[in-house]
């Protein structure tokens, strides 16, 4: 849990209060000005009532240039960011033809497969010529090619489960699988910081949803005992089934899930466990097989393993891995399998080839090298930032490194100053995180070299001093101390 | 013994009489004689007031002890995660070994392919493959991030501008998957308390979007304009006072479950009369209807700005993946920050966006493709209209030709079995690949099942002739066997 320093909390509340007050004053004047003007809605209700998008209009639009920056090259370690300008105070942004080459600390490129790769890209282009960019059909009609079957087998072997099923988009995987597995009369217990796709899938299923405190197995046990004793709401019938949903690495906190304890609890209370490895598959673990490998958990203990291919494999799509019967049942009823277009064949080939590289089956050592590189990079970056005095959260070995900002004014300040020095970072604020806890989220990649990270650290040091986010005292440099001691002598 | 008791009683009575007959007992206060009985009545009043002020009896609440909860947890038996596997669940679809064009290879044999929604025949088109290859070499495969966090590549912005220019709308927004387009757009605009009037034959994507939006949903009969009018009339009468209530009509241009075409001019007339907004799903009509392929609005000659929101999946005529939504600038800007499938998901891979741009360029450059598709549909319609036992349930101009059994065999399961047999025989013996409707257990649509054929502009006359002959032969033989 993040403990915000008292002074920072006070100033953050004050800043938000000020922004809110200004926003209300401007809304008031806008209402007066619009009173005289004609209303062109002609009897239709407005798409958005005034208070619903207050946050967007009065707070987000001020800092809109920090988000959605377009790029014109592959999202590799260094990329080209397009400059934009605005004539109407950030309400609309127009592209220019100027580009600046920046260090990429924001894309999900954990193993460096984002750009054209020497092993993967020729194979992808071959499969493009053979199968075309799309099959124009769902998997059950005419969308299953030999490539799709091979891919599913490859993914199942990599994850360590008997069978797997692949979909064209990670978000749809969660939204379409949960309603199939659990329905009305079931209970879903999900971590309080789960991703929006899981929340949507759980809502769409019709089951009752309860939340447990982030990464706290003792609270999970409490909730389970309470719910089992109470039964279904109002009728108190016993639950049909209980499913606990957790993620491998949480994308906004960068911390790993306490998987062994949670599995022990689920086994004791006979609940099913659903693990979403969107950020951890391919990025952690000795051979890249995810949190199960890292924490020493047997994959047979997790009932349903889900993941996406966007982050570590440089492609698109999602998968579900489980027992053969589970996958067969899903192929029979899952709406995403029956109605949605199958995954694009070149993307499928990219996943297959990147898995081969990671396992070392392409005949070179690049896979294990990449895995070692990302682990080294993340640990180095994290420890250096902590030494400088930044407040960094998340566990060791996780490639997601969030740095706390808290104050809303520091969000655009940090972002714009970093961009001036050619470092591109990602800011996360409300509503993706709680209101007070805005942060910078750095995603380390295996394609970052040591020089890149050192440059980034230098820039962060400068900008951090300028913006004032070094909430902890910096550790004095060891070399300087030794120098001082020598001089005294 | 008895005399002592009597003596005590007598003395008590004497004492009480004395007390009641004391001088104060004969006082007159405010004109009221105070008799001794007033004391008794006063005491009674005090006792009544005391009892009224007490709380009524409730048995005390005893929470369950730890041991009891342990016992409950031990006793509880969960349902298995999935129901037992039956035979029909073990269906394996045919595996393609080449691109899904008008002719494809299944199990080493070349078959005529009527199962891919490749309406304009753009699968395998040289220009598309070229633009994809150059995009792959420049950008790699994935975009590695959501649109807000460096996942916006210039091809995405170019694609959005191209689609908007082609359709004549102010702006458009690109989604990374066809199915998620519609079930993210609906909850973005429809919130709890709004009213949505929707056709009962819409596909699962729209049904899921409606469920997630938590609005009040009213269904009207499939493609029946009278039923729509009655429903709108009823709703307007019931909700006269609600001015902040948003009202929507959701229809598909060409229904995926039946091949019917929605009569847009009627819908526009009703929408303007009752002040509803229209959300149109043009997945199967974009690139197909209208003289230059602009969709249902061109087909009926309705100006495109009368429709509030148009969504479409690009996995059909444009032979690529993903989806888009187009409309006024207000509508599109709102989705960029509140549509969950856009904000919380990685963006479309750049090579697919460039494929979409090339596909629209090809479509705009040869409107002859649309005309050829129309011809092919007409030929197939004629050929299939005299099969005994099957009737065509779709519109004569729809590229999805939907064949239904004339007489149902009793249950949906039996119908499906028979239709699957026909499709199987057609594939194995005549190398004609057609599809039977498959419904998920979550699907609420109750329209009849049938055989679907997806017509493409790249099919030749001999292909269609072959399909008609094959279906005719097998339908007649299998139906006679059944009877």
């Amino acid at each position: 849990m993040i403990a915000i320093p008292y002074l920072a909390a006070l100033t953050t509340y004050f800043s938000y209060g000020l922004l809110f007050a200004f926003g209300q004053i401007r809304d008031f004047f806008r209402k007066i000005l619009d009173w005289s003007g004609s209303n062109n809605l002609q009897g239709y209700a407005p798409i958005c009532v005034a208070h619903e998008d207050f946050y967007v209009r009065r707070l987000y639009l001020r800092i809109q240039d920090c988000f959605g920056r377009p790029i014109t090259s592959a999202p590799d370690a260094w990329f080209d960011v397009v400059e934009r300008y605005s004539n109407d105070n950030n309400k609309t942004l127009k592209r220019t033809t100027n580009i600046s080459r920046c260090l990429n600390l924001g894309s999900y490129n954990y193993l460096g497969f984002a750009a054209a790769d020497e092993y993967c890209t020729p194979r992808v282009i071959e499969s493009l010529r053979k199968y075309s960019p799309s099959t124009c059909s769902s998997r059950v009609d005419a969308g299953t090619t030999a490539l799709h079957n091979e891919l599913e087998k490859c993914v199942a072997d990599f994850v360590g489960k008997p069978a797997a099923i692949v979909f064209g988009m990670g978000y749809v995987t969660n939204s379409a699988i949960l309603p199939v597995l659990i329905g009305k009369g079931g209970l879903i217990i999900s971590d309080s910081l789960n991703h929006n796709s899981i929340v949507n899938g759980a809502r769409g299923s019709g089951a009752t949803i309860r939340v447990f405190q982030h990464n706290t197995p003792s609270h999970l046990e409490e909730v389970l005992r309470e719910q089992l004793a109470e039964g279904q709401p109002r009728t108190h019938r016993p639950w049909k089934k209980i499913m606990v949903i957790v993620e491998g690495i949480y994308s906004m906190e960068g911390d790993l899930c306490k998987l062994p304890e949670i599995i022990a609890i689920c086994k004791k209370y006979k609940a099913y466990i659903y693990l979403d490895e969107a950020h951890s598959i391919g990025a952690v673990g000795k051979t890249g097989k995810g949190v199960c490998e890292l924490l020493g958990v047997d994959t047979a203990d997790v009932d349903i393993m889900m993941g996406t291919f966007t982050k570590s494999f440089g492609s698109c799509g999602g998968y579900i891995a489980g027992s053969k019967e589970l996958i067969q049942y899903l192929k029979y009823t899952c709406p995403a399998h029956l109605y949605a277009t199958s995954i694009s064949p070149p993307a499928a080939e990219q996943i297959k080839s990147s898995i081969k590289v990671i396992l070392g089956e392409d005949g070179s050592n690049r896979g294990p090298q990449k895995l070692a590189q990302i682990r080294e990079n993340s640990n180095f970056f994290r420890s250096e930032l902590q030494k400088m005095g930044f407040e960094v959260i998340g566990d060791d070995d996780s490639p997601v490194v969030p740095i706390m900002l808290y104050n809303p004014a520091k969000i655009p300040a940090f972002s714009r100053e970093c961009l001036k020095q050619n470092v591109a970072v990602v800011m996360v604020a409300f509503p993706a995180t709680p209101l007070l806890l805005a942060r910078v989220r750095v995603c380390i990649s295996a394609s970052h070299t040591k020089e890149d990270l050192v440059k980034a650290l230098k820039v962060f040091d400068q900008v951090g001093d300028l913006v004032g986010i070094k909430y902890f005292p910096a550790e004095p440099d060891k070399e300087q101390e030794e120098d001082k001691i020598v001089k005294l002598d | 013994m008895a005399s002592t008791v009597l003596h005590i009683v007598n003395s008590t009575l004497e004492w009480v009489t004395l007390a009641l007959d004391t001088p104060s007992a004969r006082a007159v206060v405010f004109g009221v004689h105070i008799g001794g009985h007033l004391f008794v009545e006063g005491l009674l009043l005090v006792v009544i007031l005391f009892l009224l002020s007490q709380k009524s009896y409730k048995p005390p609440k005893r929470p369950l002890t730890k041991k009891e909860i342990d016992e409950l947890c031990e006793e509880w038996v969960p349902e298995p995660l999935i129901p037992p596997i039956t035979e029909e669940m073990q269906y394996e679809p045919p595996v393609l070994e080449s691109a899904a064009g008008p002719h494809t290879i299944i199990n080493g044999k070349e078959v005529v392919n009527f199962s891919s929604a490749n309406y304009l025949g753009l699968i395998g088109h040289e220009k598309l493959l070229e633009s994809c290859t150059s995009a792959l070499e420049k950008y790699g495969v994935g975009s590695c991030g959501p649109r807000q966090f460096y996942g916006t590549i210039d091809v995405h912005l170019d694609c959005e501008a191209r689609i908007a220019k082609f359709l004549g709308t102010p702006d458009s927004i690109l989604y990374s998957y066809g199915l998620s387009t519609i079930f993210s757009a609906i909850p973005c605009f429809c919130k709890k308390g709004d009213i949505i009037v929707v056709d009962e034959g819409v596909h699962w994507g729209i049904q899921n979007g409606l469920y997630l939006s938590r609005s009040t949903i009213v269904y009207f009969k499939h493609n029946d304009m009278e039923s729509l009018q009655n429903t709108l009339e009823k709703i307007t009468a019931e909700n006269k006072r609600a001015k902040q209530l948003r009202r929507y009509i959701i229809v598909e241009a060409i229904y995926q479950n039946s091949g019917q075409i929605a009569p847009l001019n009627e819908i526009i007339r009703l929408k303007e009369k009752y002040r509803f907004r229209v959300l149109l799903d043009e997945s199967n009509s974009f690139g197909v209807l209208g003289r230059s392929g602009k969709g249902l609005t061109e087909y009926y000659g309705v100006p495109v700005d009368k429709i509030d929101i148009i969504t479409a999946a690009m996995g059909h005529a444009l032979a690529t993946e993903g989806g888009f939504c187009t409309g006024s600038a207000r509508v599109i800007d709102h989705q960029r920050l509140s549509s969950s499938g856009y904000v919380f998901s990685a963006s479309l891979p750049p090579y697919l966006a460039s494929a979409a741009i090339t596909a629209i360029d090809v479509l705009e450059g040869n409107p002859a493709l649309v005309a050829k598709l129309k011809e092919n549909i007409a030929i197939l319609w004629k050929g299939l209209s005299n099969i005994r036992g099957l009737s065509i349930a779709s519109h004569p101009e729809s590229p999805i030709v939907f064949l239904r059994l004339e007489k149902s065999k009793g249950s949906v399961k039996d119908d499906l079995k028979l239709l699957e047999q026909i499709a199987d025989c057609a594939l194995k013996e005549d190398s004609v690949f057609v599809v039977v409707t498959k419904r998920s257990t979550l699907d609420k649509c109750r329209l009849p099942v049938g055989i679907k054929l997806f017509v493409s502009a790249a099919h030749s006359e001999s292909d269609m002739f072959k399909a008609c002959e094959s279906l005719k032969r097998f339908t007649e033989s299998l139906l006679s066997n059944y009877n």
Side-chain angles (χ1 to χ4, degrees):
Chain A
M1 296 264 87
I2 307 170
I4 177 172
Y6 195 56
L7 190 60
L10 225 61
T11 50
T12 312
Y13 273 129
F14 178 70
S15 307
Y16 272 114
L18 205 62
L19 285 166
F20 185 75
F22 266 101
Q24 293 287 27
I25 295 175
R26 291 176 78 171
D27 268 354
F28 178 67
F29 279 113
R30 172 59 48 189
K31 234 200 297 200
I32 295 182
L33 283 173
D34 276 346
W35 206 277
S36 42
S38 66
N39 190 11
N40 60 350
L41 281 173
Q42 297 159 350
Y44 290 92
I47 283 191
C48 234
V49 187
H51 61 87
E52 274 174 8
D53 62 347
F54 176 80
Y55 176 79
V56 170
R57 274 177 304 119
R58 297 300 173 203
L59 270 70
Y60 175 80
L61 281 183
R62 285 168 176 259
I63 57 173
Q64 208 194 149
D65 63 310
C66 301
F67 300 101
R69 293 187 179 136
I71 64 179
T72 63
S73 72
D76 203 9
W78 285 81
F79 61 178
D80 300 322
V81 176
V82 174
E83 285 169 19
R84 297 183 293 175
Y85 70 95
S86 171
N87 286 337
D88 50 2
N89 208 15
N90 256 4
K91 240 177 119 180
T92 52
L93 292 159
K94 297 203 198 1
R95 284 193 278 172
T96 61
T97 44
N98 299 341
I99 52 179
S100 48
R101 191 126 183 101
C102 299
L103 176 64
N104 181 4
L105 291 177
S107 295
Y108 299 138
N109 178 21
Y110 298 140
L111 292 179
F113 283 112
D117 185 77
E118 60 192 13
Y119 179 79
C120 302
T121 311
R123 286 177 176 70
V124 170
I125 296 186
E126 209 185 288
S127 76
L128 173 73
R129 294 210 168 273
K130 187 167 177 206
Y131 290 108
S132 238
S134 165
T135 56
C136 287
S137 168
S138 64
R139 283 292 297 274
V140 278
D141 291 341
T144 308
T145 60
L147 186 54
H148 289 102
N149 284 346
E150 273 171 39
L151 173 64
E152 287 184 348
K153 192 159 173 317
C154 197
V155 168
D157 286 336
F158 183 69
V159 170
K161 280 280 194 188
I165 179 175
V166 170
F167 298 98
M169 181 185 177
Y171 188 93
V172 162
T173 313
N174 273 330
S175 308
I177 287 290
L178 285 170
V180 169
L181 290 175
I182 193 167
K184 200 152 177 298
L187 173 68
I188 293 182
I189 307 184
S190 84
D191 191 292
S192 59
L193 295 175
N194 267 342
H195 190 251
N196 187 279
S197 57
I198 298 179
V199 172
N200 263 349
R203 278 209 203 125
S205 68
T208 318
I209 306 175
R210 292 276 175 268
V211 164
F212 72 95
Q213 257 177 40
H214 175 59
N215 234 1
T216 322
S218 54
H219 192 239
L220 169 64
E221 185 162 7
E222 234 180 84
V223 171
L224 266 171
R225 288 171 68 86
E226 195 191 307
Q227 290 301 319
L228 275 172
E230 251 188 55
Q232 293 188 26
R234 292 178 66 230
T235 54
H236 297 288
R237 288 198 194 111
W239 295 105
K240 290 203 182 140
K241 44 182 122 153
I242 301 188
M243 193 174 289
V244 176
I245 307 184
V246 287
E247 287 188 35
I249 292 185
Y250 291 91
S251 53
M252 294 298 159
E253 274 69 38
D255 59 354
L256 298 163
C257 145
K258 296 203 175 101
L259 202 55
E261 290 95 335
I262 293 183
I263 290 192
I265 294 177
C266 288
K267 274 207 168 127
K268 184 168 160 204
Y269 293 97
K270 295 171 267 190
Y272 299 114
I273 183 153
Y274 183 104
L275 178 64
D276 178 341
E277 290 212 77
H279 284 265
S280 53
I281 188 78
V284 292
K286 208 154 58 111
T287 55
K289 297 206 175 152
V291 275
C292 289
E293 194 183 11
L294 185 66
L295 300 173
V297 170
D298 189 7
T299 51
D301 286 338
V302 180
D303 300 294
I304 307 149
M305 294 175 72
M306 177 261 170
T308 62
F309 299 118
T310 331
K311 283 102 188 175
S312 313
F313 302 96
S315 173
C316 64
Y319 70 87
I320 297 259
S323 63
K324 275 204 166 59
E325 290 81 29
L326 173 70
I327 301 300
Q328 211 157 42
Y329 179 68
L330 288 177
K331 284 191 176 168
Y332 175 68
T333 64
C334 178
H337 194 246
L338 295 176
Y339 301 127
T341 328
S342 56
I343 185 174
S344 169
E349 180 61 46
Q350 162 79 10
I351 303 167
K352 234 176 49 163
S353 317
S354 57
I355 290 183
K356 284 213 171 72
V357 171
I358 295 176
L359 291 175
E361 285 172 14
D362 62 327
S364 75
N365 200 21
R366 283 168 63 219
Q369 253 178 15
K370 282 183 199 270
L371 288 164
Q373 181 82 11
I374 188 176
R375 203 176 20 244
E376 220 184 276
N377 283 356
S378 353
N379 288 339
F380 170 68
F381 200 72
R382 189 177 252 114
S383 57
E384 287 298 313
L385 282 175
Q386 276 168 339
K387 276 198 219 147
M388 281 196 232
F390 288 101
E391 183 168 350
V392 179
I393 55 179
D395 294 337
D396 281 333
D397 275 353
S398 127
V400 175
V401 183
I403 307 172
M404 296 309 296
L405 291 176
Y406 302 119
N407 201 300
K410 302 190 179 173
I411 304 172
F414 197 89
S415 175
R416 288 171 192 157
E417 289 299 317
C418 280
L419 192 63
K420 277 194 208 147
Q421 308 213 22
N422 286 350
V423 171
V425 286
V426 157
M427 322 309 266
V428 237
F430 187 77
T433 60
L435 188 68
L436 292 181
L437 305 173
R439 62 200 75 171
V440 180
R441 189 185 67 176
V442 173
C443 290
I444 304 290
S445 153
S447 51
H448 286 139
T449 59
K450 197 77 181 277
E451 293 82 43
D452 296 336
L453 292 181
V454 167
K455 173 185 160 79
L457 285 166
K458 235 195 326 231
V459 169
F460 275 19
D461 200 6
Q462 270 179 354
V463 178
D465 277 330
L466 190 65
V467 169
I469 52 174
K470 293 192 178 169
Y471 292 110
F472 291 145
E475 277 179 28
D477 214 2
K478 279 214 181 96
E479 284 182 15
Q480 280 186 355
E481 271 196 15
E482 281 176 19
D483 271 346
K484 277 194 205 148
I485 294 172
V486 166
K487 278 201 186 122
L488 277 175
D489 281 349
Chain B
M1 194 64 197
S3 58
T4 14
V5 171
L6 213 62
H7 181 72
I8 292 174
V9 171
N10 273 337
S11 60
T12 331
L13 272 175
E14 269 177 33
W15 187 85
V16 168
T17 336
L18 206 65
L20 289 181
D21 278 344
T22 49
S24 68
R26 285 208 201 123
V28 175
V29 180
F30 300 123
V32 176
H33 282 271
I34 296 196
H37 62 95
L38 276 177
F39 282 115
V40 178
E41 281 154 11
L43 203 62
L44 209 58
L45 203 64
V46 169
V47 169
I48 291 176
L49 285 173
F50 175 71
L51 280 176
L52 276 176
S53 66
Q54 291 288 347
K55 276 196 246 174
S56 58
Y57 175 69
K58 261 198 207 122
K61 264 201 175 145
R62 286 181 307 146
L64 296 171
T65 64
K66 191 164 171 303
K67 191 153 156 291
E68 284 170 345
I69 299 184
D70 279 337
E71 275 176 16
L72 279 171
C73 298
E74 291 262 341
E75 278 174 11
W76 179 67
V77 177
E79 264 183 21
L81 191 55
I82 44 170
I85 303 285
T86 63
E87 209 193 289
E88 58 198 8
M89 291 189 195
Q90 298 184 2
Y91 169 76
E92 292 285 341
V95 175
L96 270 68
E97 286 156 19
S98 76
H103 294 260
T104 179
I105 303 178
I106 296 183
N107 282 338
K109 244 184 355 170
E110 188 174 314
V111 303
V112 177
N113 181 12
F114 278 97
S115 319
S116 307
N118 174 22
Y119 301 138
L120 298 172
L122 291 175
I123 287 187
H125 197 271
E126 264 309 312
K127 283 216 185 103
L128 244 79
L129 293 181
E130 244 178 65
S131 75
C132 281
T133 315
S134 53
L136 280 171
E137 281 167 356
K138 184 172 182 203
Y139 299 111
V141 175
S143 59
C144 297
R147 286 292 289 261
Q148 298 287 59
F149 300 150
Y150 305 106
T152 307
I153 306 188
D154 49 358
V155 280
H156 292 138
L157 300 171
D158 292 335
C159 187
E160 290 177 354
R162 188 80 183 80
I163 294 174
K165 199 169 99 172
F166 179 65
L167 286 176
T169 51
D171 202 359
S172 71
I173 179 176
L174 213 59
Y175 283 88
S176 47
Y177 204 50
L179 194 64
S180 75
T181 312
I182 192 67
F183 77 61
S184 306
I186 296 180
C188 183
F189 294 107
C190 312
K191 308 275 191 234
K192 194 169 175 144
D194 296 338
I195 298 185
I196 309 183
V197 177
V198 64
D199 189 301
E200 64 182 6
V202 288
H203 65 267
W204 179 82
I206 298 183
Q207 289 169 23
N208 196 29
L210 295 172
Y211 185 77
L212 287 172
S213 69
R214 301 199 250 202
S215 318
T216 325
I217 301 166
V218 185
Y219 288 100
F220 68 91
K221 286 214 198 42
H222 182 52
N223 224 14
D224 184 351
M225 289 299 111
E226 244 190 71
S227 166
L228 175 60
Q229 181 154 11
N230 293 344
T231 322
L232 292 175
E233 187 72 58
K234 210 165 67 159
I235 292 179
T236 324
E238 278 171 13
N239 292 305
K240 267 197 171 6
R241 271 179 294 153
K243 274 232 227 108
Q244 298 287 42
L245 207 64
R246 293 173 280 242
R247 292 164 291 209
Y248 294 91
I249 301 177
I250 299 185
V251 282
E252 288 182 52
I254 297 184
Y255 290 94
Q256 207 160 322
N257 285 328
S258 71
Q260 297 281 340
I261 296 186
L264 194 63
N265 46 2
E266 269 295 309
I267 297 179
I268 298 288
R269 191 183 62 87
L270 287 169
K271 155 205 156 127
E272 286 180 343
K273 181 169 165 199
Y274 293 99
R275 302 249 180 270
F276 273 63
R277 287 200 166 92
V278 169
L279 204 155
L280 185 64
D281 182 8
E282 290 223 52
S283 304
N284 289 308
S285 66
F286 184 76
V288 171
L289 293 180
R291 213 174 17 98
S292 49
K294 295 205 173 118
L296 198 63
T297 48
E298 201 185 12
Y299 184 69
Y300 277 103
V302 170
V304 76
D305 53 1
K306 287 211 182 222
I307 314 274
D308 302 278
I309 307 167
I310 298 181
T311 62
M314 299 197 289
H316 301 267
L318 291 179
T320 166
E321 302 245 46
F324 66 85
C325 177
T326 174
S328 68
R330 180 87 180 83
V331 159
I332 300 302
D333 275 336
H334 185 232
Q335 281 181 60
R336 287 200 200 275
L337 287 166
S338 29
S339 171
S340 29
Y342 180 81
V343 172
F344 293 107
S345 157
S347 53
L348 186 65
Y351 75 97
L352 291 171
S354 67
I357 299 178
T358 319
I360 296 185
D361 285 336
V362 168
L363 172 59
E364 210 167 13
N366 344 8
L369 283 172
V370 186
K372 179 92 181 12
L373 177 63
K374 273 215 229 328
E375 255 179 59
N376 282 357
I377 300 174
I379 298 175
L380 195 64
W381 233 83
K382 224 172 66 166
L384 291 172
S385 45
N386 53 4
I387 300 186
R388 265 181 315 138
L390 289 177
S391 64
I392 308 188
S394 57
H395 195 273
E397 296 198 39
S398 134
I400 306 179
V401 179
F402 198 85
L403 293 166
R404 216 167 38 128
L405 283 172
E406 264 170 13
K407 252 189 340 179
S408 164
K409 295 296 164 211
S411 74
V412 171
K413 225 165 143 188
D414 292 329
D415 283 348
L416 271 177
K417 230 177 174 160
L418 178 61
L419 292 167
E420 271 169 26
Q421 271 181 330
I422 301 177
D424 258 339
C425 294
L427 178 60
K428 289 211 179 67
E429 305 190 19
D430 272 353
S431 302
V432 169
F433 188 21
V434 297
V435 196
V436 177
T437 347
K438 291 176 185 66
R439 292 260 166 82
S440 158
T441 45
L442 298 178
D443 199 339
K444 290 201 215 85
C445 174
R446 293 280 164 263
L447 294 183
V449 294
I451 294 184
K452 283 195 282 200
L453 283 93
F454 293 92
V455 186
S456 161
H459 280 135
S460 62
E461 265 202 56
S462 55
D463 292 334
M464 290 183 287
F465 195 61
K466 200 169 165 192
C468 298
E469 286 299 300
S470 163
L471 282 173
K472 200 189 269 192
R473 216 174 47 192
F474 287 112
T475 318
E476 288 177 359
S477 73
L478 281 167
L479 275 177
S480 59
N481 281 352
Y482 210 92
N483 291 337

